[in-house]
Structure formats: C-alpha cells, structure tokens
Amino acid sequence: MLGWAMTFLVIALVAGVFGFFGIVSTAVGIAKILFFVFLIMFVVSLIFGRRRSI
C-alpha cells in the first residue's frame, strides 16, 4: 500500500511539472488517503502482533 501511495505521489510531481493541476490535486488526495490507511494498518498490526507473541 505504501508503494501505491508513492506511485501516486510521483504521478502528482510529474503532472505538476507539466502543469496539469487538476491531476495533481487528485493524485495528491489519493496518495494522502493511501498513506494514512497504511499508517493505521501498520499501527494495528504492531498492536495485535505483540499480543500474539506473549
């Protein structure tokens, strides 16, 4: 999921260089959502992963 977030961030950067600002805002929005979903899933996996190992 982090890979997808980075892909959309690169798309946004390339589109920004070429002046496609509508695509930039969409790609940045998608990248932000994917990044926060990744962070939430990462924290949840850390919490539940520690409980199983004890």
Side-chain angles (χ1 to χ4, degrees), residues 4 6 8-10 12 15 20 22-24 27-28 32-33 35-36 38 42 53:
W4 280 102
M6 292 302 293
F8 279 106
L9 183 62
V10 169
F20 299 112
I23 297 172
V24 170
V28 168
K32 282 182 185 179
I33 291 169
F35 181 71
F36 286 120
F38 165 77
F42 178 70
S53 64

